[in-house]
């Protein structure tokens, strides 16, 4: 069973910082799909966009989703556009628990502008970016869990997320719930409920 935790959300949602913290708390490896792509291509995301275009980048994301099938027990932060293709939310849910880091548009827009080099923001006005955000919401919404990040810092997001992950963990074979049986955090998350 793939028991990864997969973070999705718009640029600036905090996937990298939350993912890194969460992995540390759970004692798991942290992986970013953008890093997998830059390592494979030997150049940065802005360079890939500039030299090969967005369509090529999306094809690399497709390949990366296939490679994610080899991951087990990792915390995975995805690029903001990766889940936003038909069939992608289902493909990600097959790999583990998908978590949408949901933030108010104004907050994520401001953070996305402030941090990192993001080719999808270049040359686009605020209205255009908001339209992209709205168009992507239906894909993000298909996550297993949603954490509202509005007004809270990454530590607080991780605390909320850990609670949600624990709630999702199934009862133990003895029939007792996880609250009755102290277990390391990582094991509790491994014991997710199966999906219909
Ligand atoms: C993209 C988001 C970026 C990166 C690429 C495209 C997008 O990742 O994958 O620039 O289409 O939203 P972040 O969400 O980490 O910024």
């Amino acid at each position: 069973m793939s028991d990864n935790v997969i973070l999705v959300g718009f640029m600036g949602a905090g996937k990298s910082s939350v993912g890194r913290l969460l992995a540390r708390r759970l004692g798991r490896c942290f992986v970013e799909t953008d890093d997998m792509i830059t390592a494979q291509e030997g150049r940065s995301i802005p360079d890939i966009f500039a030299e090969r275009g967005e369509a090529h980048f999306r094809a690399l994301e497709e390949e990366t989703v296939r490679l994610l099938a080899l991951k087990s027990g990792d915390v995975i932060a995805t690029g903001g556009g990766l889940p936003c293709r038909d069939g992608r939310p289902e493909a990600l849910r097959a790999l583990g628990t998908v978590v949408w880091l949901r933030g108010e548009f104004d907050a994520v827009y401001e953070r996305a502008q402030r941090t990192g080099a993001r080719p999808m923001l270049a040359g686009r006005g605020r209205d255009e970016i908001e339209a992209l955000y709205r168009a992507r919401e239906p894909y993000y919404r298909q996550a297993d869990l949603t954490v509202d990040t509005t007004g809270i810092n990454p530590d607080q997001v991780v605390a909320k997320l850990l609670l949600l992950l624990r709630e999702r963990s199934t009862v133990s074979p003895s029939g007792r719930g996880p609250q009755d049986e102290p277990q390391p955090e990582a094991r509790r998350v491994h014991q997710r409920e199966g999906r219909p």
Side-chain angles (χ1 to χ4, degrees), residues 2-18:
S2 298
D3 53 359
N4 305 289
V5 177
I6 300 140
L7 303 180
V8 302
F10 203 68
M11 294 170 275
K15 293 164 297 202
S16 302
S17 30
V18 167

Side-chain angles (χ1 to χ4, degrees), residues 10-11 15 34 45 49 57-58 61 79-81 118-120 136:
F10 203 68
M11 294 170 275
K15 293 164 297 202
D34 279 351
I45 303 286
F49 270 76
F57 176 75
R58 299 302 171 197
E61 283 191 323
R118 294 192 162 93
M120 290 299 288
R136 286 177 170 184

Side-chain angles (χ1 to χ4, degrees), residues 106-123:
D106 286 337
V108 295
Y109 178 69
E110 191 273 321
R111 206 175 320 138
Q113 294 280 2
R114 197 162 30 88
T115 58
R118 294 192 162 93
M120 290 299 288
L121 299 180

